Amino acid sequence: AILSACYPESTANKNLLALEFLADYMYFKLGTEKLTISDFEEFVKIYNEKKKTTINGKQFLETCVKANILKQGEESFDIGFYDKNTYAYFVAKYLSRELEKNPDNTEKLLYVMNRICFGINETIILFLSFIRSNTRIIMKIAYKAFDLLKRFGLY
């Protein structure tokens, strides 16, 4: 909403798509919450090549920092999402988009599900269920938890 209020819709949409791609790049490819400046430059290069577009990395970063979506380190030259919820949201948006394209491509979803107790994975699943308006994801987790805890006599 902040992006679209300050920029034309096409620019805002490009930035939102780039943020989804950035979340995927950071989470699944690099496995990190922070990027160095050189990692960020590499991301911009890869994004522009893969999406056959041209985003200006400096302008993209400045826009996202002003919108409190990304932040730069105060004492170091690193870049990351503003907070873990924002990071998880954009990972979930990316996963949702990929599942729309190919519902059988569940490799990344299974990666998150198998690590649900660690890091931001539970938040990714929660956002994904909201984005897709699909509570079955949450119910599946509840049933698996019930089965697991039943073995220990807790249910």
Side-chain angles (χ1 to χ4, degrees):
I2 293 171
L3 285 175
S4 58
C6 300
Y7 296 94
E9 188 175 334
S10 63
T11 302
N13 286 339
K14 273 186 185 179
N15 285 345
L16 291 171
L17 286 172
L19 285 163
E20 292 174 26
F21 196 84
L22 176 62
D24 173 70
Y25 180 75
M26 289 173 64
Y27 190 77
F28 292 108
K29 185 168 187 333
L30 300 180
T32 186
E33 291 182 13
K34 305 258 185 233
L35 292 176
T36 64
I37 295 296
S38 61
D39 285 338
F40 183 77
E41 289 170 343
E42 182 67 17
F43 155 74
V44 171
K45 180 181 170 193
I46 291 168
Y47 181 79
N48 285 334
E49 288 172 3
K50 184 167 180 152
K51 298 298 182 181
K52 296 177 180 36
T53 190
T54 306
I55 62 165
N56 178 308
K58 184 175 181 178
Q59 186 178 32
F60 171 69
L61 179 59
E62 287 174 0
T63 301
C64 293
V65 167
K66 284 180 186 174
N68 287 330
I69 297 171
L70 296 178
K71 66 180 178 180
Q72 292 181 278
E74 292 180 25
E75 297 179 18
S76 61
F77 295 105
D78 60 11
I79 298 162
F81 280 89
Y82 190 77
D83 57 33
K84 291 183 183 207
N85 286 333
T86 306
Y87 187 24
Y89 171 78
F90 282 103
V91 172
K93 283 288 287 178
Y94 183 85
L95 284 173
S96 179
R97 186 175 306 282
E98 291 300 303
L99 289 169
E100 284 294 318
K101 288 182 200 172
N102 181 1
D104 295 329
N105 185 7
T106 60
E107 181 181 338
K108 289 180 179 179
L109 175 61
L110 291 174
Y111 175 88
V112 173
M113 293 287 281
N114 288 332
R115 291 159 181 79
I116 197 160
C117 294
F118 307 104
I120 62 170
N121 294 313
E122 79 283 350
T123 311
I124 293 169
I125 296 300
L126 184 64
F127 277 128
L128 187 61
S129 69
F130 289 142
I131 290 165
R132 298 186 64 79
S133 299
N134 184 349
T135 57
R136 290 181 309 187
I137 295 170
I138 302 297
M139 293 309 297
K140 249 185 192 175
I141 295 166
Y143 290 131
K144 293 218 181 236
F146 179 77
D147 286 344
L148 179 67
L149 296 173
K150 190 169 64 174
R151 287 187 231 161
F152 298 103
L154 297 173
Y155 281 99

